[in-house]
Amino acid sequence: MNYAGIFIVQQHELTSPYQENKLKNKIMRGISLYGGTVVAAVILSACGGGSGSSLGPITVSGVALDGYIKGATICFDANSNNVCDTGEPSAVTGADGKYSITLPTGTETTDKHLIAIVPAGAYDSDAPTTPITKPYVMMAPVVMPSAGNTISTPVTPLTTAVSIEMKSGKQIARARIDARAGLSLPVDYDFLKDHVGTGDTNAHNVAKVAAAYLAANVGSEIPSATNLAAALTKMKVDALAAYNSTNVDSMVAAILNGTTTPASGPTTAPTAPTAAAGDVQSESPRVSWRPVGLSQTGITA
């Protein structure tokens, strides 16, 4: 028997490579019953899209930083209204900027974000004895791991840029790429790393300037599409100068005081450094499989 057919595969988010392979094996066993040749059309979905719901409680932990921030409230924004509402899982960061929150079983994480409320009176390890005077808000996308129920992610001005890009309608892989380009970060920059702990001075400089623009354009207001977009636009204007700056504190002061930002440093784009093993967040797509139709033609005995 000769068999010619089309097997259509539709986008379907899977939570682990094990589940992916298990489903593929089931599909291939089903195909083998018909014999012959099958042509598969595959729609790719980007890995790490932050989608899915938990089969058990999820632990979300990490650090809040420009420098490490003490006294920031971190919450899981369950209703996507850009504020920390009563009843939403939350925690307050310690002196090392660390937080840990637990999401209940069944929590939907698709396109959800963490919110960090940095109030006046909080402390930044960049100036550990001087309280923050201008409040601001940061964000970070919640990305389910490929296996397990533990998420580790920093919440920074740089992850905030990714969240802003996502809230404009982009998938996380595209948002990361555009945030890197807009903030003059290397093409292999990993938003999940601690730029203070890894000693990445250039990224830290960009984070300082981005935090200043969040304070100047959002402050203690509820983040909106308008004020977040304004902050991101200004971050992008000064990001390259910040990346290369030898006096980034003067840039921050000028932003917070509403004066002209003094550009500093060369105007050439940064060269991507050699990434440490496991440092680069992969943007490789995951192949997701789900049969939705099968047709056969030209069957002969």
Side-chain angles (χ1 to χ4, degrees):
M1 175 187 294
N2 294 323
Y3 176 85
I6 298 175
F7 195 85
I8 301 172
V9 181
Q10 211 175 47
Q11 179 173 336
H12 183 69
E13 193 69 30
L14 299 173
T15 58
S16 72
Y18 169 77
Q19 288 179 322
E20 229 170 68
N21 290 330
K22 187 175 180 181
L23 183 55
K24 286 186 222 178
N25 289 336
K26 285 182 179 179
I27 291 170
M28 296 311 294
R29 285 197 299 270
I31 290 172
S32 67
L33 296 176
Y34 294 94
T37 302
V38 175
V39 180
V42 179
I43 298 176
L44 301 180
S45 63
C47 181
S51 64
S53 59
S54 65
L55 300 178
I58 301 171
T59 298
V60 186
S61 62
V63 291
L65 71 159
D66 160 13
Y68 298 123
I69 298 171
K70 175 185 178 182
T73 296
I74 310 293
C75 75
F76 174 75
D77 188 17
N79 59 4
S80 301
N81 65 348
N82 296 340
V83 298
C84 292
D85 294 312
T86 301
E88 290 182 330
S90 66
V92 177
T93 59
D96 53 5
K98 291 183 179 179
Y99 73 90
S100 180
I101 59 179
T102 300
L103 309 184
T105 299
T107 297
E108 177 58 55
T109 61
T110 304
D111 295 327
K112 300 299 183 184
H113 300 260
L114 297 175
I115 305 292
I117 307 296
V118 183
Y123 286 86
D124 186 323
S125 64
D126 290 337
T129 61
T130 304
I132 291 170
T133 58
K134 292 185 180 290
Y136 59 98
V137 177
M138 300 187 294
M139 300 178 179
V142 177
V143 180
M144 284 296 293
S146 59
N149 275 10
T150 300
I151 300 171
S152 179
T153 185
V155 186
T156 77
L158 308 181
T159 62
T160 304
V162 177
S163 286
I164 295 172
E165 296 282 10
M166 289 180 68
K167 285 177 176 290
S168 72
K170 298 175 184 177
Q171 295 296 315
I172 190 169
R174 182 75 257 170
R176 284 174 175 153
I177 291 168
D178 290 350
R180 288 189 191 103
L183 298 180
S184 297
L185 296 170
V187 295
D188 60 355
Y189 182 78
D190 182 4
F191 288 99
L192 296 182
K193 79 175 182 179
D194 172 350
H195 56 255
V196 174
T198 58
D200 190 339
T201 302
N202 300 104
H204 193 173
N205 283 351
V206 177
K208 288 181 178 182
V209 167
Y213 276 124
L214 289 168
N217 289 271
V218 182
S220 58
E221 296 178 5
I222 296 176
S224 67
T226 300
N227 59 26
L228 289 173
L232 181 60
T233 296
K234 292 178 181 179
M235 289 178 203
K236 291 178 177 179
V237 170
D238 285 338
L240 184 56
Y243 188 93
N244 293 298
S245 179
T246 57
N247 188 19
V248 75
D249 288 343
S250 65
M251 296 182 68
V252 170
I255 294 166
L256 294 177
N257 293 332
T259 57
T260 303
T261 302
S264 175
T267 57
T268 55
T271 301
T274 301
D279 186 49
V280 180
Q281 177 69 18
S282 173
E283 307 297 352
S284 301
R286 176 187 298 168
V287 180
S288 296
W289 300 65
R290 180 157 62 92
V292 295
L294 183 69
S295 63
Q296 52 183 334
T297 58
I299 299 176
T300 57

